[in-house]
Amino acid sequence: MLAYLNSTAKHYAVDYDKAAQAEELAGMPSYTFTKSTEHKTIAGYDATRYILKDKLTGESAEAWFTKDVAIIPNSLTSTLDTA
């Protein structure tokens, strides 16, 4: 992947072409998401516990999500269930 850092007016962004983005996305793991009923406050935000299961390896992990923080979509967030 060829990328460069663009810095203007104190904003930083990594810019790379659509082909490189598609290649990166194809290599990202795919998960199933199981929402639990558990909630807790993390850094002042209400978060819900999810169990993530890698569709390829079957490995499980825990993650806490909130809808109280807006994040610009990116290559990491594109693998996450928006529900």
Side-chain angles (χ1 to χ4, degrees):
M1 173 179 72
L2 179 62
Y4 66 91
L5 185 63
N6 181 7
S7 170
T8 57
K10 296 186 182 181
H11 291 97
Y12 298 92
V14 174
D15 188 17
Y16 55 103
D17 63 40
K18 294 289 184 187
Q21 293 176 39
E23 183 180 336
E24 179 183 339
L25 190 56
M28 297 293 279
S30 180
Y31 296 98
T32 59
F33 297 81
T34 305
K35 183 178 181 179
S36 77
T37 59
E38 292 180 64
H39 288 263
K40 70 178 174 181
T41 301
I42 300 174
Y45 297 100
D46 179 50
T48 304
R49 181 177 180 254
Y50 282 77
I51 301 300
L52 286 64
K53 186 172 183 180
D54 187 309
K55 291 180 182 178
L56 182 63
T57 66
E59 292 182 29
S60 294
E62 151 183 308
W64 292 83
F65 292 97
T66 184
K67 292 185 181 225
D68 297 338
V69 177
I71 298 175
I72 297 170
N74 59 54
S75 60
L76 174 62
T77 62
S78 67
T79 64
L80 302 175
D81 184 343
T82 59

